[in-house]
Amino acid sequence: MHLTLRQIEVFNAVARHQNYTRAAEGLHLSQPAVSMQIRQLEDSIGLPLFEQIGKQIHLTDAGEQMYRYGRSVIGLLDEAEGVFESIKGVERGNLTISVATTASHFATRLLAAFIKQHAGITISLDVTNREALRRQLENNEPDLVVMGQPPSGVDVESSAFTENPLVMIAPVDHPLAAQKNIPLSHFANEHFVVREPGSGTRGATRRFFDQHNVPFNTVIEMTANEAIRQAVEAGLGLGVVSIHTLELELETGRLAILDVQDFPIMRHWYVIQRKGKRLSPAAQAFKSFVLEQAEQFIRLPNQY
Ligand code: PGA
């Protein structure tokens, strides 16, 4: 059996995304190149690693085992790299960060500011939803994660660094846009455009409605906050989104934040690592940067 590290990296990416196209994008490879690496790996092992059911690919039993070992191999190599980086010092390191979809609205600004201060650090950024972040932490994949409430069931160290208010949005000419202090019960008959299952925003909103015994009716779900804003603007339904996703839409007067009783739903952003993880100097520098300086790079819309 002759496995190469490249094959393992490619395999891990396909297994993580359960999707060849997204894996290829993440690796900056063409899809045929990714398929070829997987075929060669399957030939060396002598077993299929994926099976296709409908449009979705799934890991076979052998694939699950390969993924378990694949993550350990890459995890060990990362750890070794971290040791070498600490010998070289902060300014030459690699940093692997994963952020919640919603946090990506400010994460790029944060990274730009961080890189200005530490020009030699190479960063790899993954943007995904809360549930996928929980799995990544479980598998000890990223150095650091930026997400809402720390996940349960994984041993992590987490530090809150700023607020994440969730607000209810409507088209700017919606009749409710002019009303004040609207009771939540009013929304029992409304329909909402929501994020996909696994999204922290969606989970928190549903819990909030449940706690207030108000039915939460959804009309359509979407994986991107941008798509939700556009759908709300087009009148498909109301939305509940993080204030951090809104800047431009509010400034250009396309959406209104409704004045709803007990709103905003207050969440916080956390920087999180696996408990006991030895952070490289680059990762440690990023964590300190987020905790000490992040707030000044997170702009809120003027109207808020
Ligand atoms: P998201 O947000 O998963 O909805 O993008 C993260 C969170 O609020 O936990």
Side-chain angles (χ1 to χ4, degrees):
M1 198 161 74
H2 178 69
L3 314 186
T4 68
L5 263 183
R6 189 62 181 152
Q7 286 167 354
I8 297 175
E9 275 168 355
V10 171
F11 168 81
N12 282 0
V14 178
R16 185 164 64 242
H17 294 293
Q18 308 241 321
N19 183 307
Y20 282 90
T21 313
R22 284 188 60 199
E25 277 165 16
L27 294 162
H28 305 294
L29 289 175
S30 68
Q31 193 178 325
V34 168
S35 305
M36 196 182 72
Q37 296 274 2
I38 299 294
R39 242 192 337 272
Q40 285 172 350
L41 184 61
E42 289 180 328
D43 286 348
S44 314
I45 293 173
L47 288 166
L49 299 172
F50 293 101
E51 60 195 355
Q52 180 136 13
I53 300 171
K55 282 197 172 142
Q56 183 65 42
I57 58 162
H58 298 269
L59 288 166
T60 59
D61 286 347
E64 294 281 1
Q65 292 302 324
M66 182 64 224
Y67 193 29
R68 192 158 73 86
Y69 286 106
R71 285 194 309 256
S72 305
V73 167
I74 300 297
L76 268 177
L77 277 176
D78 283 348
E79 202 174 305
E81 212 172 279
V83 171
F84 300 136
E85 273 162 16
S86 59
I87 298 171
K88 288 188 225 155
V90 168
E91 301 308 332
R92 300 272 308 278
N94 289 319
L95 189 54
T96 312
I97 305 171
S98 294
V99 305
T101 313
T102 303
S104 68
H105 291 263
F106 58 78
T108 34
R109 251 191 330 263
L110 278 188
L111 288 174
F114 178 71
I115 284 182
K116 266 201 191 126
Q117 296 175 16
H118 302 280
I121 295 181
T122 314
I123 298 178
S124 130
L125 173 71
D126 188 30
V127 177
T128 185
N129 75 20
R130 177 177 175 79
E131 186 45 38
L133 290 172
R134 197 191 62 75
R135 270 201 308 275
Q136 288 189 8
L137 279 166
E138 208 167 63
N139 299 333
N140 194 18
E141 287 169 18
D143 292 323
L144 292 166
V145 165
V146 173
M147 69 189 292
Q149 302 322 107
S152 52
V154 194
D155 237 357
V156 293
E157 289 172 33
S158 52
S159 321
F161 63 92
T162 193
E163 290 183 337
N164 174 23
L166 307 186
V167 294
M168 198 183 292
I169 52 171
V172 77
D173 55 0
H174 193 281
L176 291 176
Q179 287 190 28
K180 295 265 168 268
N181 213 15
I182 312 163
L184 192 67
S185 55
H186 181 94
F187 297 94
N189 301 319
E190 296 282 352
H191 287 84
F192 287 83
V193 183
V194 290
R195 285 273 307 281
E196 76 287 2
S199 143
T201 308
R202 173 173 166 155
T205 308
R206 180 168 288 289
R207 272 197 305 282
F208 183 82
F209 273 73
D210 286 352
Q211 279 157 10
H212 289 79
N213 287 320
V214 175
F216 182 58
N217 309 309
T218 62
V219 59
I220 185 168
E221 58 185 46
M222 303 179 168
T223 52
N225 294 308
E226 290 80 1
I228 294 190
R229 292 189 325 245
Q230 283 160 11
V232 170
E233 202 188 314
L236 223 61
L238 300 176
V240 176
V241 294
S242 163
I243 190 83
H244 298 298
T245 66
L246 286 179
E247 272 176 52
L248 211 64
E249 270 69 15
L250 291 184
E251 277 159 23
T252 52
R254 293 203 297 253
L255 288 172
I257 295 181
L258 299 185
D259 184 2
V260 183
Q261 272 173 26
D262 297 318
F263 261 69
I265 303 173
M266 193 50 82
R267 285 169 71 70
H268 289 84
W269 291 115
Y270 289 79
V271 58
I272 299 179
Q273 70 195 73
R274 256 317 271 265
K275 200 173 207 120
K277 186 171 184 69
R278 263 204 326 202
L279 290 183
S280 67
Q284 188 55 55
F286 183 71
K287 182 175 173 183
S288 308
F289 172 82
V290 171
L291 295 180
E292 288 155 22
Q293 300 182 45
E295 257 188 312
Q296 55 180 302
F297 298 104
I298 302 177
R299 289 197 303 262
L300 290 181
N302 291 337
Q303 287 94 325
Y304 189 66

